Amino acid sequence: KSWKDSALAASSVRMPEVPAWFSSESDRQPHVEAGRARFATLCMACHGESGKGDGPGSKGLIDGWGNPISPAVLASPHHKSGDSPRDLYRSIATGLNGTPMVGYAATLKEDEIWELVVWILAIGKN
């Protein structure tokens, strides 16, 4: 269905296929480490070092309606936006409307987002 005001409609985001390196534990490992480092730079302030939503920037966040909101617990094996690698990619790339979670599609390369995805999946297993 079209938006009544086309200016409010978001542009579509191309969803890439899961990289081939996802299928092999040994191929995935260097990407996990790269994702860990990128997570520390971009995500740890809110999501915390171990992805429990307890970073120093997690306090005082509000949603789009002015209500208090906590960052997602990424160390969980399940995620509100979906558990598949592509679900996590979409959330990182586009952000989550109504929350402080921004999208990174314009600032990160596809492989960099996939590395964040594989790190999130790794911390969810702990």
Side-chain angles (χ1 to χ4, degrees):
K1 187 174 178 178
S2 299
W3 287 88
K4 290 181 182 178
D5 181 350
S6 61
L8 298 175
S11 302
S12 62
V13 174
R14 187 180 78 74
M15 286 297 298
E17 293 301 316
V18 177
W21 52 260
F22 247 81
S23 62
S24 163
E25 187 71 34
S26 61
D27 291 346
R28 201 170 39 237
Q29 194 54 42
H31 298 282
V32 170
E33 291 307 314
R36 181 192 59 74
R38 187 163 291 106
F39 184 89
T41 301
L42 299 175
C43 314
M44 193 167 60
C46 291
H47 293 285
E49 186 174 347
S50 59
K52 295 182 180 170
D54 58 355
S58 67
K59 309 296 183 249
L61 295 175
I62 58 169
D63 66 16
W65 299 270
N67 300 309
I69 189 169
S70 298
V73 176
L74 300 176
S76 170
H78 299 291
H79 305 279
K80 290 181 182 180
S81 60
D83 297 331
S84 78
R86 293 189 81 204
D87 292 333
L88 294 171
Y89 183 100
R90 181 191 63 242
S91 295
I92 296 166
T94 64
L96 297 170
N97 287 350
T99 76
M101 173 64 193
V102 299
Y104 288 97
T107 57
L108 295 177
K109 297 175 186 170
E110 284 181 13
D111 275 351
E112 293 171 329
I113 296 174
W114 283 120
E115 289 169 344
L116 284 169
V117 169
V118 78
W119 171 247
I120 291 167
L121 292 172
I123 62 175
K125 291 180 182 178
N126 296 332

